[in-house]
Amino acid sequence: MPGHRPYRLHRPWTVLDSRELLDADPFLKVRVETVELPDGRRIDDYYQFDQPSFACIFAETADGRIVTYRQYRHGPRKVGLVFPGGHLSPGEEPLAAAKRELLEETGMEAESWTDLGAYIVNANQGGAWSHMFHAAGCRRVADPIADDLEDTEILQLTRQELLEAIGRGEMHLLTQIALVSMVWQADIARVLSRPHSPDTAP
């Protein structure tokens, strides 16, 4: 293929120096690195973020309802739909964290779990890894544990209700829509497809 470079030629960058600028442990650390590229170029101020990795769970009940929250998130300054999930504790395995978060946030346990992989949130600056899971056969076994920072409304939506909410733009976090897409690929593409004329910006 013209322009194609063999994978072996894509070499990692070399970190020559790293200096911490901010330590807001455990939520955020900011570093500035001096890096050297494989071709010899040098960048003196390449910023990196360290954030705790987290689990994100597409949780379904035995009758096919999807467990979501309606909740305010300060990043986008919006109320929207999100899935159960949360940060991994130090040394905690992703699946163990997912089970703990599902129980704490919804009071539910699942009959089966599918690991859908881990994905970095920011390709160049680092940040957190998102560990994606599909939990099936969820049932209530305890009361949820409330979080003082989050005014949460737990919902159990049908497939159609969730798709309609996504089509209205009520799910606006990338990790959340990516998780739905992993499970419901064709349906998500359908509800998000909005044709535009060539001279109209999306």
Side-chain angles (χ1 to χ4, degrees):
M1 177 185 299
H4 174 70
R5 299 181 65 196
Y7 179 78
R8 66 179 181 277
L9 297 180
H10 295 274
R11 302 189 303 275
W13 298 357
T14 301
V15 178
L16 302 176
D17 185 54
S18 180
R19 180 165 55 93
E20 190 173 273
L21 301 179
L22 172 68
D23 184 351
D25 189 64
F27 300 110
L28 175 66
K29 292 184 180 181
V30 180
R31 292 174 289 111
V32 60
E33 294 182 343
T34 300
V35 298
E36 184 179 79
L37 278 59
D39 63 6
R41 285 179 294 166
R42 173 173 165 150
I43 302 173
D44 293 318
D45 56 353
Y46 206 87
Y47 292 90
Q48 296 287 280
F49 306 143
D50 293 331
Q51 295 174 290
S53 295
F54 59 94
C56 189
I57 307 143
F58 187 94
E60 288 188 86
T61 62
D63 61 354
R65 290 182 175 267
I66 301 90
V67 182
T68 64
Y69 311 139
R70 183 170 284 119
Q71 189 179 75
Y72 173 78
R73 289 298 175 96
H74 193 58
R77 270 64 166 178
K78 288 183 177 182
V79 174
L81 294 178
V82 296
F83 293 120
H87 292 148
L88 276 64
S89 299
E92 188 176 29
E93 291 296 320
L95 179 57
K99 291 180 177 181
R100 174 180 55 76
E101 289 289 346
L102 182 65
L103 182 61
E104 290 176 357
E105 295 185 350
T106 69
M108 290 185 168
E109 290 182 346
E111 291 180 0
S112 65
W113 289 83
T114 302
D115 186 340
L116 299 174
Y119 307 90
I120 194 74
V121 174
N122 187 315
N124 289 319
Q125 273 64 52
W129 284 86
S130 176
H131 296 269
M132 307 293 220
F133 292 94
H134 183 191
C138 295
R139 60 187 179 88
R140 183 82 171 267
V141 296
D143 291 329
I145 300 174
D147 187 319
D148 291 340
L149 292 180
E150 299 173 350
D151 183 14
T152 297
E153 178 187 7
I154 299 177
L155 305 170
Q156 294 186 26
L157 302 180
T158 65
R159 184 187 187 96
Q160 187 60 34
E161 288 169 342
L162 180 55
L163 286 170
E164 289 173 357
I166 290 170
R168 292 191 300 268
E170 293 184 33
M171 185 168 280
H172 41 258
L173 301 182
L174 176 59
T175 52
Q176 315 293 294
I177 200 69
L179 180 54
V180 184
S181 299
M182 291 176 182
V183 182
W184 292 350
Q185 296 177 32
D187 286 335
I188 291 301
R190 175 177 55 79
V191 299
L192 290 181
S193 294
R194 295 185 178 91
H196 300 280
S197 61
D199 57 350
T200 303

